Amino acid sequence: MGEKIMKKKLALLLAGLLVISFVGCGTPKDDPTQKDTNSTEMSETGEDSQNQPTESQKPETENSEDKQVDLSLKDVFAEHGMKVGTCLSPQMIGNAQMSKIILGQFNSVTMENAMKPDAILNQSKSVQEGNLVVEFKQDLVKMLNWAKENNLGVRGHTIVWHSQTPDWIFHEDFDMSKPLVSREVMLDRLDHYMKQVFEKLEEGGYSELVYAYDVANECWMEDGSMRQNNWKATIGDDYLWHAFNLANKYAPEHIDLYYNDYNEQFKEETFVEFVKTLVDENGNYLIDGIGLQAHLYTQDSLEEYFEAVDLLATTGLKLELTELDVSLGAWQNTLAATDDNLKAQGRFYYDLINGLFERVDAGKVKMDALTFWGFADGLSWRSDASPLLYNKIYAPKYSYYGAMQIKDKAGFDD
Ligand code: GLA
């Protein structure tokens, strides 16, 4: 007994020491070198003490809790009939500071990883069943419940993709050592997969939350060719038509079906031609919207971007910016988070969102939501390029005010 108490005391002392040393070193580090660009779970706090902005980089209002409380992205976007979202990871909903920002600012979420093919397809059950089996893991269920409790819309992301998709789904007996399956078998697997995604949402009582679903992601290249992937290798060039046809068959009417891709400002002509093929026998669209990932840079041309948006709007489909972040600098030449660069970012966000609002208000673009790929720089898959609205200590940046359309705080001041 006495020994047990001693052990307990010792354990408490050790735990105490651990906590002290942990807090003393700052918070857990988000090591960008360990990040796979396709697997982007965020660090718990995203803070990095070595990489925090200097006083001069912080907008003056960052410590003013009161001012922040009054402001909300969701109110600003609602004025244009739009929802505004962030991607969501399991640790965010368990962290008071992060969930406060999400619930205060956003009214839509996209699961950062939890609804991707590798997260919902179960190999051993697929082997048992002899067909693809979809399973919603605990983390996903928790996040969907949280979205439901808090009245948040959900964008489903994503079903047909080349990345974060297990290879075994394309092989005979779900066994990688065996050959790829035939077109017929893969079409049947796609049918089962698609059906279960929407069934699981319905069974869990989540269907009503979902307003859009990325049926397919990143299937076209900048040169206008189709990406070589196993969907194409097994089913053939019409795999996307089948994906959208099946999504139409199984998704409830209220869920908009999206094709989602990046580098949209270099692929817009390809998309225009592509969506013409996504029609049923009566010529009606099987697709509702085009998702523009919008992983942009402050030195990108907004003129070029809006040309792409305007061309895509001619399809008559909805458009949505689905993964917006604006890195400092240019592709392969990102810049440091200096005050000047952060101001340029604030102006970029202001101009981008202003241009979108103008188009939406004029009825030129059908856009009912815009999603940011996160909200705080320390949590971003591109944290080294500070692409989001809050800095690493969760203070709003010029970019936040840019998104809020508060021009005099968005970096235009000098
Ligand atoms: C793409 C995907 C997203 C995410 C990002 C990287 O844009 O669509 O789901 O994986 O890459 O974070």
Side-chain angles (χ1 to χ4, degrees), residues 37-38 40 112-113 116 157 161 164 217-218 260 293 295 323 373 381:
T37 50
N38 288 319
T40 57
E112 191 182 23
N113 285 306
K116 288 176 175 173
H157 176 75
W161 193 19
Q164 288 180 266
N217 197 29
E218 304 180 342
N260 192 50
Q293 288 188 6
H295 293 300
E323 305 180 16
W373 208 239
W381 69 304

Side-chain angles (χ1 to χ4, degrees), residues 10 13 39 41 123 166 196 200 207 211 241 267-268 295 304 337 354 359 373 391 404:
L10 205 64
L13 189 69
S39 176
E41 281 303 335
Q123 186 172 16
Q196 289 167 83
K200 294 271 171 230
S207 250
Y211 65 95
W241 185 86
K267 297 179 178 172
E268 72 272 27
H295 293 300
E304 193 177 24
N354 190 255
R359 285 165 169 78
W373 208 239
N391 68 17
M404 288 290 293

Side-chain angles (χ1 to χ4, degrees), residues 159-355:
I159 300 174
V160 170
W161 193 19
H162 67 285
S163 178
Q164 288 180 266
T165 298
D167 277 337
W168 55 261
I169 71 169
F170 301 103
H171 289 264
E172 284 177 12
D173 302 323
F174 309 100
D175 178 347
M176 299 268 291
S177 67
K178 297 192 175 167
L180 291 178
V181 293
S182 65
R183 169 179 168 88
E184 286 64 35
V185 172
M186 203 62 218
L187 277 174
D188 187 47
R189 288 183 183 182
L190 178 59
D191 187 306
H192 269 66
Y193 175 21
M194 195 70 74
K195 183 166 183 253
Q196 289 167 83
V197 167
F198 293 104
E199 270 174 7
K200 294 271 171 230
L201 286 170
E202 189 64 35
E203 281 165 22
Y206 307 120
S207 250
E208 290 307 314
L209 311 180
V210 184
Y211 65 95
Y213 217 113
D214 292 330
V215 173
N217 197 29
E218 304 180 342
C219 303
W220 291 94
M221 308 301 284
E222 285 76 1
D223 66 2
S225 65
M226 288 187 105
R227 184 186 291 280
Q228 299 301 327
N229 63 22
N230 276 336
W231 291 105
K232 182 171 176 302
T234 49
I235 296 174
D237 284 359
D238 58 354
Y239 79 93
L240 286 167
W241 185 86
H242 284 282
F244 277 89
N245 191 44
L246 290 167
N248 255 274
K249 184 168 163 194
Y250 296 122
E253 194 54 39
H254 74 272
I255 299 183
D256 285 334
L257 303 176
Y258 272 75
Y259 172 72
N260 192 50
D261 210 332
Y262 64 91
N263 276 351
E264 55 271 21
Q265 67 276 44
F266 310 115
K267 297 179 178 172
E268 72 272 27
E269 282 160 20
T270 303
F271 297 162
V272 168
E273 291 311 307
F274 164 53
V275 298
K276 286 182 191 161
T277 68
L278 292 180
V279 289
D280 65 14
E281 61 280 7
N282 302 315
N284 296 321
Y285 272 136
L286 296 167
I287 180 173
D288 299 295
I290 304 174
L292 316 177
Q293 288 188 6
H295 293 300
L296 303 175
Y297 293 85
T298 53
Q299 290 174 4
D300 282 349
S301 156
L302 270 177
E303 200 185 331
E304 193 177 24
Y305 196 78
F306 282 124
E307 274 171 24
V309 167
D310 291 338
L311 182 74
L312 290 170
T314 64
T315 60
L317 295 171
K318 287 187 181 176
L319 305 180
E320 179 175 346
L321 269 56
T322 55
E323 305 180 16
L324 174 61
D325 52 19
V326 183
S327 294
L328 299 179
W331 188 58
Q332 289 184 331
N333 184 25
T334 52
L335 298 175
T338 62
D339 200 45
D340 277 351
N341 293 335
L342 291 169
K343 282 182 172 169
Q345 183 184 45
R347 297 194 297 268
F348 190 100
Y349 267 108
Y350 179 91
D351 289 339
L352 172 65
I353 291 170
N354 190 255

